[in-house]
Amino acid sequence: MTGITEDEVLHRIENNVSWITLNRPEAMNAVTWDQRERVIALLAEASADPAVRAVVVTATGKGFCAGADLRGGPAGGERVAGDVARMIRLGAQRLITAVLDCEKPVLAAVNGTAAGIGAHLALACDLVIAAEPARFIEVFVRRGLVPDGGGAYLLPRLVGPQKAKELMFFGDAVPAAEAERLGLVNRVVAAEELEATARAWAERLAQGPTRALAMTKQLVNASLDGDRAASLAAEATAQEINMTTADANEGVASFVERRTPKYLGR
């Protein structure tokens, strides 16, 4: 990966959980082109690796991700019509899509400020735990920009269109407690409890029926994009496929035998 040092995105796998940690605390973890590519690759690897059954995205220092740091991206010449749209499609949108399409549940552990694409990176995750000092900022309007990275797709689905417009039109910082009240995050914890809480949630997910979780994620993510008939058809298809998995058979057998199921992710 050109231009990136190994410690700018830390990665480890523990107890079937892939931990992806942005590690540029001096820049509030503003994400570079190379970091973005590394995160996308790690999410793809998590989807393909049966040993990985959940993912945590987090960061070091006081910031989760202060937005995009475009320094170090591919060199370009004179800008022509279409360049910006292409950059967004291949950049911010690919990052958010990688989270949404990851076949394992992805949990964000938001340690501090999440602004711009950093906020959207967190909000694209399936579950969000925020430390008390965390803030979420739709910073684009402060720079005279249109939100990118799927913000206009994600926010209305989380808080409704009018609240989404308020957040995007004013660009005010939303403290963690308010974000929880609005439905942007699932849980707010003390800063010193963030990692332990994220680990407990992620390892619980990693012990679940992995393929069923993947299809549940897909159904929920698609539910607001199609009509009722399409959603019900997708649900029936997902059930048909899932009933061929070992975990589904284990779940039914454990119910009949009145014991705790032991899921293997297959």
Side-chain angles (χ1 to χ4, degrees):
M1 192 68 64
T2 59
I4 188 171
T5 60
E6 200 169 284
D7 62 356
E8 288 180 351
V9 177
L10 305 177
H11 181 242
R12 70 186 191 275
I13 298 175
E14 293 179 355
N15 297 326
N16 302 112
V17 178
S18 173
W19 288 78
I20 301 172
T21 305
L22 300 177
N23 188 39
R24 294 178 69 233
E26 72 285 355
M28 295 287 284
N29 292 302
V31 66
T32 66
W33 187 91
D34 292 302
Q35 282 180 299
R36 183 194 71 217
E37 294 303 303
R38 177 63 174 149
V39 172
I40 291 171
L42 288 171
L43 289 166
E45 290 173 15
S47 286
D49 186 353
V52 172
R53 298 172 63 187
V55 178
V56 175
V57 178
T58 190
T60 58
K62 296 182 179 180
F64 175 75
C65 178
D69 183 343
L70 300 180
R71 293 172 294 180
E78 182 181 355
R79 180 184 296 168
V80 298
D83 283 352
V84 173
R86 186 181 311 106
M87 178 183 71
I88 297 300
R89 285 198 306 271
L90 299 179
Q93 290 179 355
R94 279 181 59 242
L95 176 61
I96 299 308
T97 299
V99 177
L100 294 171
D101 290 347
C102 182
E103 295 179 24
K104 309 298 166 64
V106 183
L107 185 154
V110 183
N111 52 301
T113 298
I117 188 64
H120 300 166
L121 173 61
L123 299 179
C125 292
D126 303 303
L127 299 170
V128 184
I129 302 173
E132 289 173 349
R135 302 183 304 160
F136 298 81
I137 311 173
E138 287 296 316
V139 74
F140 302 95
V141 70
R142 300 186 186 182
R143 310 288 182 258
L145 300 175
V146 172
D148 63 25
Y153 175 86
L154 294 167
L155 275 172
R157 286 162 171 75
L158 292 168
V159 299
Q162 288 180 304
K163 193 65 183 181
K165 291 171 190 173
E166 178 186 334
L167 297 177
M168 291 178 167
F169 286 0
F170 293 116
D172 293 333
V174 179
E178 175 69 2
E180 182 181 30
R181 188 187 70 80
L182 291 174
L184 292 172
V185 307
N186 297 88
R187 182 76 57 84
V188 176
V189 298
E192 61 271 19
E193 297 174 6
L194 180 65
E195 183 175 347
T197 304
R199 178 178 292 108
W201 281 35
E203 291 184 0
R204 183 177 175 186
L205 290 169
Q207 294 169 8
T210 307
R211 299 315 304 163
L213 292 178
M215 284 184 275
T216 301
K217 171 177 178 170
Q218 186 179 37
L219 286 171
V220 173
N221 286 352
S223 65
L224 297 177
D225 299 330
D227 59 26
R228 180 178 62 185
S231 181
L232 294 179
E235 177 187 278
T237 299
Q239 284 284 25
E240 177 74 25
I241 296 169
N242 188 66
M243 287 306 296
T244 67
T245 66
D247 280 349
N249 291 328
E250 166 65 8
V252 173
S254 66
F255 174 77
V256 172
E257 297 165 12
R258 298 184 179 182
R259 58 178 175 81
T260 301
K262 184 176 181 181
Y263 296 120
L264 302 176
R266 292 171 170 79

